[in-house]
């Protein structure tokens, strides 16, 4: 993608939560799929008393412009621009792939890197649990039925795994529509060498999934835990496991995750 097209793109929408003293550390937070900044990171709102939180809406989500096909490489270019002269960087699920690429491209601008339940499974395909999950996921989601309505896709993404069906608001249905056309994250080929070589503090956070519906845990949970552990080892990150949480530990156990982020951002 040329720099001209990067310049020509409409800017992303970013929500700023900042009740901290001027000059407080900046943190850029990037949501996963079927979500948006303020929805994904509502549990991190208390951190705005100490830090400047910048909650990104990826293209096609929240209040950011539409995009024909959501793509982690486009997200990474956007995030690289948002980093400016430097910030702490957090990515959840799909957003973790984008922040990994952004941090690989601009390591000097990343003060710390936090990956929450990163779902770029292909990076850990050497792990047998992950390899088996990749086969399952490719078979189930390799071809999203374009004829499926966003409402039906939302139902298919939640009810079989014992997850509550959220209220289908227009904002959520737009996010689902964008997710249906998203470049698949599980197959992302992300080079880990640049992150392993980078010197910023790195943390990977996973839930322990013991409270999740057994079908949900079996379909993706065990693979996501193995992927997080593998990635942490491969890039030299601290691996934090949050009990009583599954794919969104920062939502399920915000106090625990906020304590991890506070320590990281204050150091």
């Amino acid at each position: 993608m040329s720099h001209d097209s990067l310049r020509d793109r409409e800017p992303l929408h970013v929500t700023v939560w900042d009740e901290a003293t001027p000059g407080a550390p900046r943190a850029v937070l990037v949501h996963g799929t079927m979500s948006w900044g303020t929805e994904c990171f509502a549990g991190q709102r208390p951190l705005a008393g100490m830090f400047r939180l910048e909650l990104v809406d990826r293209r096609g989500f929240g209040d950011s412009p539409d995009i024909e096909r959501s793509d982690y490489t486009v997200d990474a270019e956007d995030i690289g621009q948002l980093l400016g002269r430097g910030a702490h960087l957090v990515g959840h699920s799909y957003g973790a792939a984008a922040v990994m690429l952004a941090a690989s491209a601009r390591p000097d601008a990343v003060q710390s890197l936090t990956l929450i339940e990163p779902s770029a499974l292909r990076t850990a395909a050497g792990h047998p649990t992950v390899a088996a999950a990749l086969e399952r996921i490719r078979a189930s989601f390799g071809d999203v039925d374009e004829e499926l309505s966003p409402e039906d896709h939302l139902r298919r993404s939640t009810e079989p795994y014992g997850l509550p069906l959220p209220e289908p608001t227009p904002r959520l249905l737009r996010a689902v529509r964008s997710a249906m056309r998203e470049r698949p994250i599980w197959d992302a080929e992300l080079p880990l060498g640049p992150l392993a070589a980078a010197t910023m503090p790195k943390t990977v956070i996973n839930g322990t999934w013991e409270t999740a519906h057994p079908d949900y845990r079996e379909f993706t949970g065990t693979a996501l835990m193995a992927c997080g552990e593998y990635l942490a080892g491969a890039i030299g990150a601290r691996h934090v496991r949050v009990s009583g949480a599954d794919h969104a530990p920062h939502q399920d156990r915000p106090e625990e995750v906020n304590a991890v982020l506070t320590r990281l951002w204050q150091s």
Side-chain angles (χ1 to χ4, degrees):
M1 189 158 297
S2 74
H3 288 289
D4 292 337
S5 62
L6 189 58
R7 264 205 306 274
D8 294 343
R9 282 189 210 136
E10 272 188 80
L12 292 187
H13 181 266
V14 179
T15 301
V16 177
W17 289 340
D18 183 8
E19 289 110 44
T21 52
R26 289 176 65 216
V28 174
L29 292 85
V30 185
H31 65 88
T33 198
M34 296 206 298
S35 185
W36 53 92
T38 55
E39 194 271 341
C40 182
F41 295 107
Q44 283 56 65
R45 187 79 172 79
L47 294 173
M50 288 182 289
F51 308 102
R52 176 185 168 89
L53 305 184
E54 301 179 14
L55 295 89
V56 175
D57 289 343
R58 290 165 42 228
R59 294 184 187 276
F61 300 89
D63 290 316
S64 279
D66 282 324
I67 186 170
E68 197 171 317
R69 191 179 191 215
S70 174
D71 187 323
Y72 47 85
T73 60
V74 175
D75 295 337
E77 291 179 351
D78 284 330
I79 294 158
Q81 285 203 315
L82 288 173
L83 280 171
R85 289 156 79 179
H88 299 278
L89 199 47
V90 179
H92 173 236
S93 190
Y94 196 105
V99 305
M100 286 168 72
L101 286 173
S104 296
R106 295 199 59 206
D108 295 346
V110 180
Q111 289 157 1
S112 73
L113 178 68
T114 303
L115 310 175
I116 303 175
E117 285 273 316
S119 50
L121 295 177
R122 188 169 175 171
T123 57
H127 192 295
T129 302
V130 177
L134 269 172
E135 293 306 310
R136 280 199 305 276
I137 292 167
R138 284 174 184 143
S140 295
F141 294 107
D143 295 304
V144 170
D145 183 355
E146 294 287 346
E147 302 304 308
L148 211 60
S149 70
E151 290 88 346
D152 287 339
H153 185 78
L154 182 62
R155 198 169 289 112
R156 268 184 53 178
S157 305
T158 52
E159 287 180 346
Y161 309 113
L163 299 168
L165 183 68
E167 186 192 342
T169 62
R171 178 171 283 243
L172 177 57
L173 291 178
R174 177 184 186 236
V176 174
R177 211 172 291 117
S178 292
M180 289 171 72
R181 296 194 300 266
E182 214 157 36
R183 185 178 179 184
I185 191 59
W186 53 84
D187 257 339
E189 288 192 78
L190 306 177
L192 300 182
L195 285 184
T199 56
M200 86 284 285
K202 292 161 272 194
T203 302
V204 177
I205 301 176
N206 280 100
T208 53
W209 285 80
E210 77 277 10
T211 52
H213 189 285
D215 293 343
Y216 185 32
R217 184 170 62 241
E218 188 181 338
F219 190 75
T220 55
T222 52
L224 285 165
M225 287 187 284
C227 180
E229 185 173 16
Y230 179 93
L231 271 181
I235 66 172
R238 176 184 175 216
H239 191 210
V240 176
R241 296 171 180 82
V242 179
S243 59
D246 44 67
H247 191 45
H250 60 300
Q251 296 172 1
D252 298 334
R253 292 286 181 269
E255 295 85 357
E256 200 169 323
V257 172
N258 290 352
V260 172
L261 294 175
T262 298
R263 283 195 298 274
L264 191 61
W265 297 346
Q266 282 181 333
S267 65

